Amino acid sequence: YQTIVTPNADAFRIWIVIFMFQLLFTVVQLLPKFRATPMVQNGVSYWYCLVCAMQIGWTFAFAYEIIPASLAFMLALYGSLMTLLYSQYYAESDNILWEFWLLRFPFALHGGWITAASALNVNVQAVASSAPADIQLALAIVCLAVLHAISVWVLFYLQRPNWTIACVLAWAFGYIYQELASPNNLIIETFTLQTINGVRYAAFAVGAIIIPVQLAIRVAMLARPQFNPYRTAAADHSDNATQESSETKALSPAVDEGVVVTGATREEEVTKDEDVVDMA
């Protein structure tokens, strides 16, 4: 089911990285340091179970060449991953590197690749349905445009950009370009050389030029405080720590010359003692 937007086989080696990081996640999320964190409890939650179920369903459906079912599983997998990433985005975060690489990166990487794979699966359905060349080409162009729009969205619309998804999409575009350098017979028989080269150069432009430029612009924007969510998060964390420290000091008993005074002042205590003596 070769399509005009199928990446080179080397692109699929990303699965090795995806599964390695998710294996690492499954181990560390059992440790006391991580298992009770909001990023696991509220961010990942039970969505990862659904992600695994949809991934297994897609594997069997595609292996047995039940293409409509594989497309359904792929879209369900995409929806599950995006929901998981949405939950993590709004979950309470410690904003530390360990949390990112162990608890968030595995799913951002998976989500980025499934974004590209969903577009590919749509085109596979067209090929499996023996759609004419013009329909396949139109669908491919729309899918590539949508993937680029997603890269813009995750970098510039989100307050905290998802760098991983944008980089993975650039990876996919790059390997589409590489694959079309030596297209197989099905592609050569379906499309003209001009069409193949047009899609190839477009994939190169987006993957090697446009998305990297977008990444560079977004990194440069971090120099401005209003566009730097990480500086804001650090300031908020510092303010919260200062407030908690102040509240702790306010609630703690005053200490004067080694004697703890709680509630009343020394003068009030002396006056109270004198009143007791007078009454006696």
Side-chain angles (χ1 to χ4, degrees), residues 58-250:
W58 176 86
T59 301
F60 280 101
F62 193 78
Y64 285 97
E65 299 186 2
I66 310 174
I67 303 304
S70 72
L71 177 59
F73 277 116
M74 178 62 72
L75 295 179
L77 171 60
Y78 175 74
S80 302
L81 274 167
M82 291 303 107
T83 304
L84 188 154
L85 291 174
Y86 177 86
S87 299
Q88 285 195 324
Y89 185 86
Y90 288 103
E92 182 182 344
S93 174
D94 293 331
N95 294 310
I96 57 177
L97 287 178
W98 281 113
E99 180 191 80
F100 172 76
W101 289 108
L102 298 177
L103 306 181
R104 296 167 60 188
F105 178 74
F107 306 109
L109 184 67
H110 196 182
W113 183 245
I114 293 303
T115 301
S118 297
L120 175 59
N121 234 127
V122 170
N123 285 268
V124 167
Q125 178 63 54
V127 173
S129 302
S130 300
D134 54 350
I135 298 299
Q136 291 188 40
L137 179 60
L139 189 59
I141 292 173
V142 170
C143 287
L144 293 180
V146 169
L147 291 180
H148 174 245
I150 291 174
S151 74
V152 174
W153 184 71
V154 298
L155 287 176
F156 295 100
Y157 179 79
L158 298 178
Q159 183 180 8
R160 297 191 304 276
N162 194 313
W163 312 95
T164 307
I165 289 180
C167 290
V168 172
L169 293 179
W171 166 281
F173 275 105
Y175 278 105
I176 292 172
Y177 166 79
Q178 182 176 329
E179 178 65 17
L180 291 178
S182 301
N184 68 7
N185 292 333
L186 178 60
I187 299 301
I188 294 174
E189 294 169 0
T190 306
F191 303 99
T192 65
L193 181 60
Q194 290 79 6
T195 299
I196 295 172
N197 285 333
V199 175
R200 180 182 178 225
Y201 297 142
F204 174 82
V206 176
I209 301 175
I210 297 177
I211 294 181
V213 168
Q214 290 174 182
L215 288 164
I217 292 173
R218 190 62 185 89
V219 169
M221 289 172 63
L222 296 178
R224 303 291 298 273
Q226 63 267 37
F227 299 120
N228 191 335
Y230 312 108
R231 182 180 298 178
T232 303
D236 292 342
H237 186 270
S238 177
D239 292 342
N240 291 337
T242 303
Q243 182 177 358
E244 290 175 0
S245 176
S246 300
E247 291 175 352
T248 302
K249 290 181 179 180

